[in-house]
Amino acid sequence: MEQEKGMVYGLIIIAGLILSWLAYVEQDTGQPHIMQKGATLLVDGKVPPSLSGIPFHMSYIDEDTCLKCHSRGRTIELMNQNYVAPKMAHEFRKDCTSCHKIPSS
């Protein structure tokens, strides 16, 4: 009887350790899941939007330039037309164009 009780407790402890390990492995680390599918890059299962064809996007300068507009969702007036830079939907990552493609001119 005591041996069976010990075996049951042992199995409960092992099951608890396995569940704890699975929860640890599956927890979200805050990093995006980036995957290459053919020529397409997927971030968290979605294709990142390409940059629009407005003049500022026709060439890539650096991340700081992108952040001037996209860190807070800025409105820019250019040639009597307003453009709204959507606020970044993710945390800052280096090299914006590794995911967001520059439109061809």
Side-chain angles (χ1 to χ4, degrees):
M1 180 78 163
E2 284 298 315
Q3 189 176 14
E4 290 173 0
K5 204 186 252 187
M7 186 188 275
V8 170
Y9 288 137
L11 288 173
I12 291 171
I13 290 171
I14 290 171
L17 289 172
I18 290 171
L19 287 173
S20 296
W21 177 76
L22 286 173
Y24 173 76
V25 169
E26 291 294 320
Q27 77 182 1
D28 185 19
T29 61
Q31 298 297 319
H33 181 257
I34 299 174
M35 180 173 89
Q36 185 89 26
K37 196 171 192 178
T40 306
L41 184 72
L42 300 174
V43 179
D44 293 333
K46 300 175 192 165
V47 177
S50 295
L51 301 176
S52 65
I54 59 176
F56 337 113
H57 289 162
M58 297 313 284
S59 64
Y60 176 70
I61 299 170
D62 59 24
E63 291 88 10
D64 289 335
T65 304
C66 297
L67 288 173
K68 285 180 184 172
C69 298
H70 292 284
S71 64
R72 62 182 185 273
R74 184 174 166 192
T75 300
I76 302 134
E77 186 180 334
L78 177 68
M79 296 165 42
N80 294 324
Q81 193 169 2
N82 285 336
Y83 296 93
V84 177
K87 186 175 180 181
M88 280 190 330
H90 56 80
E91 73 279 351
F92 171 73
R93 298 182 193 123
K94 284 196 171 271
D95 193 8
C96 303
T97 59
S98 64
C99 295
H100 301 282
K101 301 301 173 206
I102 298 174
S104 52
S105 44

